[in-house]
Every structure is written in C-alpha cells, then in structure tokens.
C-alpha cells in the first residue's frame, strides 16, 4: 500500500510563501504522474499543479507564476513552492499520485491525508 504524507502547511499572511512537501513510500519516479490538489468546504477538489513521469508540468490558472511543482530525488518527495499567497488560496492541499498498472491503461490512484493552508489578509 502506497503512503503519501504531506507536510509544510500552516498559517501565513497574504503575500507570504509556503513550501509543501509530499513524502512517498514508493519511489516517486515510478508514478506516471503526481500532483497537488486543493479543496475548500463545499467545493470539489481541484488541481493545483501536476508533474508527469517525464518531468512535464502543468498548473491551474490561479497558480501560474506563483506556484512551482518539483520532485526531489534525494528526499523522494513531491514539493510545491507557493509564493505571493492570497486569502483565496486557503484550502486543504492534497498530494496525489497515479500509476498505470496494465497494458489496458487501468490506473491506481493514491492520495495523502491533506495539509491545511490558511492565508490571512
């Protein structure tokens, strides 16, 4: 069973920065893709940023130019650097990993437990 454990959340003032980290029990380079999602009460979980096995990245519009997703091979973590934070970035942030398990393309997904990010105005 793959375990993903997020850390780095907390309370920060608007304009500040946070770095989230997701530690994986499996080598992160064995996943086909990984990413960060966020969710606020009453809303669907939404993609923040993703990275493919080949290193290609994609970002939600709200994160472009402010957020950077990366992988740390030494620590075996998926990281999310968040700068210029805004109150509307307040949410629980989740780490996600996906692996294709057969030739038909069946996928297995894994989620972390989430870490709270609160941005005060």
């Amino acid at each position: 069973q793959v375990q993903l454990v997020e850390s780095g959340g907390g309370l920060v003032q608007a304009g500040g920065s946070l770095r989230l980290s997701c530690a994986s029990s499996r080598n992160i380079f064995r996943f086909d893709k990984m990413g960060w999602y966020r969710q606020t009460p009453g809303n669907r979980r939404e993609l923040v940023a993703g990275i493919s096995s080949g290193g290609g990245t994609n970002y939600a519009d709200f994160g472009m130019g402010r957020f950077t997703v990366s992988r740390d091979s030494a620590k075996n973590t998926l990281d999310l650097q968040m700068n210029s934070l805004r109150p509307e970035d307040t949410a629980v942030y989740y780490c996600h990993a996906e692996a294709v398990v057969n030739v038909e393309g069946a996928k297995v997904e894994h989620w972390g437990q989430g870490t709270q990010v609160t941005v005060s105005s």
Side-chain angles (χ1 to χ4, degrees), residues 97-109:
E98 184 177 292
V100 175
V101 296
N102 62 27
V103 294
E104 285 79 28
K107 300 174 184 177
V108 173
E109 295 185 270

Side-chain angles (χ1 to χ4, degrees), residues 6-12 18 20 36 39-41 82 87 89-94 113-119:
E6 301 97 335
S7 62
L11 174 64
V12 65
L18 280 175
L20 305 183
W36 288 94
Q39 188 172 26
T40 54
M82 303 188 294
D89 294 318
T90 295
V92 177
Y93 284 70
Y94 296 90
Q113 82 288 350
T115 185
Q116 177 70 46
V117 170
T118 303
V119 184

Side-chain angles (χ1 to χ4, degrees), residues 5-76:
V5 180
E6 301 97 335
S7 62
L11 174 64
V12 65
Q13 289 188 330
S17 298
L18 280 175
R19 187 175 185 87
L20 305 183
S21 188
C22 171
S24 171
S25 61
R26 176 184 290 178
N27 186 323
I28 59 173
F29 293 92
R30 292 184 60 189
F31 294 115
D32 293 278
K33 61 180 180 180
M34 297 187 76
W36 288 94
Y37 286 72
R38 71 185 189 184
Q39 188 172 26
T40 54
N43 293 307
R44 296 179 61 181
R45 200 168 290 188
E46 62 179 352
L47 177 69
V48 176
I51 187 166
S52 69
S53 57
T57 58
N58 61 291
Y59 297 90
D61 287 345
F62 60 76
M64 291 283 251
R66 300 190 299 132
F67 297 172
T68 303
V69 63
S70 61
R71 295 175 295 184
D72 188 322
S73 57
K75 296 180 181 178
N76 199 43

